[in-house]
Amino acid sequence: MEIDLRLESSLWVGKKRYKAVLTGWHFQWTEVDKNNREKKTTLVPVSELIALEKGQVEILPRKSVEDTDKDFTVFYVKRSSSGGSYGLLWQFGRIQFSCASRALRDQWTSHLRAALKTHSPSRPHRLLVFINPYGGKKKGRNIYHSLVAPLFELAGITSHVIVTERANQARDHLLKKDLSGFDGVVCVGGDGMFSEIMHGMIGRTQQEAGLSENDLNVTLQPCHLHIGIIPAGSTDCVCFATVGVNDPVTSALHIIIGDSQPLDVCSAHHPTEPVRYSVSLLGYGFYGDVLAESERHRWMGPLRYDFSGFMVYLSSRSYAGVVHYLPADPLLSSPRDNTRCLSGCSVCSKSTERLFPHSTVSESVHSFQCSQYRSDRSEAGWVSVAGRFRCVSFTCMSSSCPRSPLGLSPSAHLADGTGDLILVRESHPLGFLKFLHRHTSSEDQFDLPFVEVHRVKAFRFSLPPGEEEDSLEDMESEAARERENQESPQCRMDSETKSRTGSEQQLTDRAKGDWSREKSLFCGPCCTEAPAVSVWNCDGEILPFSEIQGRVHGQLVHLYARGIEDKAACVG
């Protein structure tokens, strides 16, 4: 039997009288003047109430409670424009009500708490938090303790906090330690920290299911624990593409109210290497070269990416290859349809309903994808493209970020079981510069004669027949010798900030040999002989091989997010 949660009465805020109404789903208060005329109304969904406390309560700079008989304080989500960002900022709202009697105060608090319990059943109560103290501007610890922890405490969330001291510590913990009792995992850091946690969560889930994640033909089981992202890195692309802003308070509030955003993941396979996972970028050619070159300049901090990008651009390299891809259904969506994957996206919702109609999401994802991929393994339906490419890129999301508000593929979807494959053929340097520049504007980067984009379910990249990959063993030994000669104590300390997924030290050493022959700072790839092959950039981690197979796993992980909110549809 449904409980009647409706309540209505007059409440006071200071000397102003308000008409307050709780309908069960919404809580609203309307200012009433002396002539009983209604003025401004504030409407808050019950699901977006953060907490309520009896008495007069403050939480900043530290929590204080004055227990008064007739007062109660409501904390809720407020929205505001985020300036140049595409999404909306969530802010911490607070209002203190006074009642005519203590009995009315108790009635309001009991009804509001019952409504919260009824309409917000998925809120987390206990979280495992990993803080990367080295990422970005090294402010992760301060961001968590000053901005996030007080909100978690107010919302009644208990947290077990681990400040990581080495690369892959979070991944190893998730793979080996007892996770029972936790409702979710939170990373305080950048995209590298998220990738590390994602690898740990996916690996742990497959271990418990008895599946080999390195087997390309195995359909992976979706992860049960949600992942929350508190942005504290250099770019924070995953957070930006799933929330719309990089703001710690906004992300913390999404975690508190228990938002859930499914996310597609691409597995990248090579016969001799462990599987890697990507959500934002698998890039060969230009993007792989930039990452490999940037490893020579870690002392520059985030500026190394701009510098390395400029140097790699000057080298004007292209690489021969053959791309095979399995197209997705063009009737469902297209990377050129000029739509955006926003909160409540109809394409993602219809994909969930279409793909998994009769059982729970995790069960139906597994059963559908298993049968689907068995049919996809045949060559029927696959398309081949051969040539020389400036870059080959694959993404499961728009990959938007503050510097590229629309991203690599503006119309990509977060949870439709597909990814976008972008092929940029060999072109004049000015044409390629135009392609890169359009990522920072609203111009269509695909509207160029040497660029093509395809929505796919799987892809393969191979070298042309008769062309073999360069010997990586020689590259590794040469890079190791240079590192011994060049690396200062400061550089060794900075190495703690490397991407936190996989054995990056080994991968970086093996990949950057061709860029390590010149020791002069300004004599980079444009001054050296172009290699025959490139490497892959997998969400900021170097994969030191050329041939690869990628497959999209629909809704493999869930984030504490709801997608980018449409500014036009939300009331500020």
Side-chain angles (χ1 to χ4, degrees), residues 12 111 242 347 415 525:
W12 281 261
H111 273 64
T242 55
V347 172

Side-chain angles (χ1 to χ4, degrees), residues 133 178 344 368:
D178 181 16
F368 173 82

Side-chain angles (χ1 to χ4, degrees), residues 146-184:
S146 63
L147 299 177
V148 178
L151 296 179
F152 283 179
E153 179 184 359
L154 177 68
I157 297 174
T158 58
S159 302
H160 177 65
V161 179
I162 298 175
V163 179
T164 59
E165 299 175 349
R166 59 175 177 84
N168 296 316
Q169 179 179 345
R171 184 202 64 181
D172 295 343
H173 185 101
L174 293 171
L175 287 172
K176 300 174 183 178
K177 301 296 184 179
D178 181 16
L179 301 181
S180 60
F182 290 109
D183 301 308

Side-chain angles (χ1 to χ4, degrees), residues 1-17:
M1 182 177 178
E2 186 175 351
I3 302 174
D4 182 12
L5 298 175
R6 182 176 177 83
L7 182 62
E8 180 177 342
S9 77
S10 291
L11 299 175
W12 281 261
V13 177
K15 295 183 179 180
K16 295 181 179 180
R17 184 167 69 92

